[in-house]
């Protein structure tokens, strides 16, 4: 199908670009078929391009599906925005509406969101709603932080949490107890009082569900910033240790 579409695009002197989000959830056999098709497209020099987005484990999954995937694709990392870009993302839309925001308020938003684009949107929205007048100040942002976190807890974080088994929740709670991460597998198992080998299937399932990823051998990190704080709020106290 892609080959025929590529031939048609070539004859029309145009190009076909396919955009796929959450590519890490594609089954490995289907991913292999997609890579094979794109490899043939590249060999025939047809104007077809895939732009895929996914969590950090995508590179490894594509490599397992087809060993030549790393030569066929570029894998640019898209991380948090740097502080200056984060400030601009809040400040410019406000100024376009003739509203100013103080420097300390901007700094607090950057600190709270860690430059994560979706969180910048949330804090920007809630800061706008909290302010009675221009400029938006630090008090407005402090109010916005409470409502933004509550909104994330009720939707963005909660949707991910509700997909987890009890053991997976305990695993993430142990990670949260250690901080934002990344954490060594041994540290997490010590926190749970379990052997590393017995928790390996749980860790693998969490990676498959997109909850955590491995930035290095034996390391585990949350895929979503601020999730450690959510886990401490949703499962407070010490009872989770004896679950």
């Amino acid at each position: 199908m892609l080959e025929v579409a590529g031939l048609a695009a070539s004859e029309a002197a145009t190009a076909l670009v396919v955009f796929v989000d959450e590519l890490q959830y594609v089954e490995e056999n289907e991913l292999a078929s997609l890579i094979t098709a794109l490899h043939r497209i590249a060999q025939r020099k047809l104007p077809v391009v895939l732009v895929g987005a996914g969590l950090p484990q995508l590179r490894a999954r594509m490599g397992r599906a087809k060993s030549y995937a790393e030569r066929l694709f570029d894998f640019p990392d898209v991380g948090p925005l740097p502080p200056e870009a984060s400030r601009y993302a809040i400040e410019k839309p406000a100024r376009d509406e003739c509203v100013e925001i103080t420097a300390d308020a901007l700094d607090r938003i950057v600190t709270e969101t860690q430059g994560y684009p979706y969180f910048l949107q949330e804090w920007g929205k809630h800061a706008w709603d909290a302010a009675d007048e221009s400029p938006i100040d630090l008090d407005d942002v402090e109010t916005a932080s409470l409502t933004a976190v509550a909104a994330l807890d009720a939707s963005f974080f909660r949707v991910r949490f509700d997909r987890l088994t009890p053991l997976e929740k305990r695993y993430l709670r142990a990670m949260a107890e250690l901080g934002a991460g990344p954490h060594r597998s041994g540290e997490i198992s010590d926190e749970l009082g379990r052997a590393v080998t017995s928790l390996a299937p749980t860790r693998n399932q969490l990676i498959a569900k997109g909850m955590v990823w491995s930035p290095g051998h034996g390391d585990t990190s949350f895929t979503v910033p601020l999730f450690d704080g959510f886990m401490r709020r949703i499962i407070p106290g010490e009872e989770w240790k004896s679950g």
Side-chain angles (χ1 to χ4, degrees):
M1 183 180 68
L2 286 176
E3 188 174 3
V4 170
L7 287 168
S10 181
E11 290 174 5
T14 186
L16 170 64
V17 183
V18 182
F19 294 88
V20 183
D21 196 9
E22 304 285 10
L23 194 55
Q24 76 277 356
Y25 291 130
V26 176
E27 296 291 338
E28 203 159 290
N29 62 326
E30 296 175 354
L31 198 56
S33 297
L34 177 62
I35 294 167
T36 300
L38 291 167
H39 188 206
R40 180 161 178 78
I41 291 292
Q43 289 175 323
R44 297 200 59 181
K45 294 182 171 58
L46 295 175
V48 178
V49 176
L50 170 71
V51 179
L55 294 173
Q57 61 264 33
L58 178 60
R59 187 197 309 260
R61 292 197 76 242
M62 293 185 76
R64 287 194 302 270
K66 285 293 179 183
S67 59
Y68 54 78
E70 292 190 7
R71 301 193 303 274
L72 187 62
F73 299 99
D74 292 324
F75 293 91
D77 292 327
V78 181
L81 294 175
E84 198 57 42
S86 297
R87 291 186 184 91
Y88 184 75
I90 296 294
E91 192 172 29
K92 184 184 183 302
R95 281 187 174 169
D96 288 346
E97 299 297 326
C98 301
V99 173
E100 297 294 322
I101 180 167
T102 63
D104 55 353
L106 272 175
D107 289 343
R108 176 62 62 86
I109 291 176
V110 172
T111 299
E112 295 284 352
T113 61
Q114 299 178 23
Y116 192 67
Y118 176 63
F119 294 166
L120 284 166
Q121 288 180 311
E122 284 289 337
W123 258 260
K125 171 190 179 299
H126 287 277
W128 181 276
D129 291 343
D132 293 324
E133 59 185 3
S134 178
I136 298 170
D137 61 21
L138 184 58
D139 287 341
D140 297 323
V141 172
E142 288 178 347
T143 300
S145 294
L146 297 175
T147 55
V149 168
L152 290 170
D153 283 359
S155 57
F156 184 79
F157 292 141
R158 186 65 194 234
V159 167
R160 288 157 174 78
F161 179 81
D162 287 344
R163 294 163 46 204
L164 304 174
T165 67
L167 181 54
E168 289 167 351
K169 291 174 182 178
R170 288 186 63 225
Y171 190 98
L172 294 183
R173 182 60 179 83
M175 286 179 60
E177 192 74 3
L178 295 167
H183 306 297
R184 301 294 295 171
S185 295
E187 295 173 332
I188 301 168
S189 63
D190 288 346
E191 198 68 36
L192 288 166
R194 299 273 297 270
V196 172
T197 52
S198 71
L199 291 169
T202 302
R203 180 177 182 268
N204 290 339
Q205 279 299 111
L206 287 168
I207 291 174
K209 290 181 178 181
M211 301 301 300
V212 301
W213 69 292
S214 179
H217 181 69
D219 288 335
T220 307
S221 186
F222 292 105
T223 54
V224 176
L226 309 186
F227 203 80
D228 58 312
F230 168 75
M231 289 303 302
R232 290 191 294 272
R233 289 190 297 275
I234 198 72
I235 309 178
E238 302 285 328
E239 290 183 8
W240 61 273
K241 291 187 177 182
S242 56

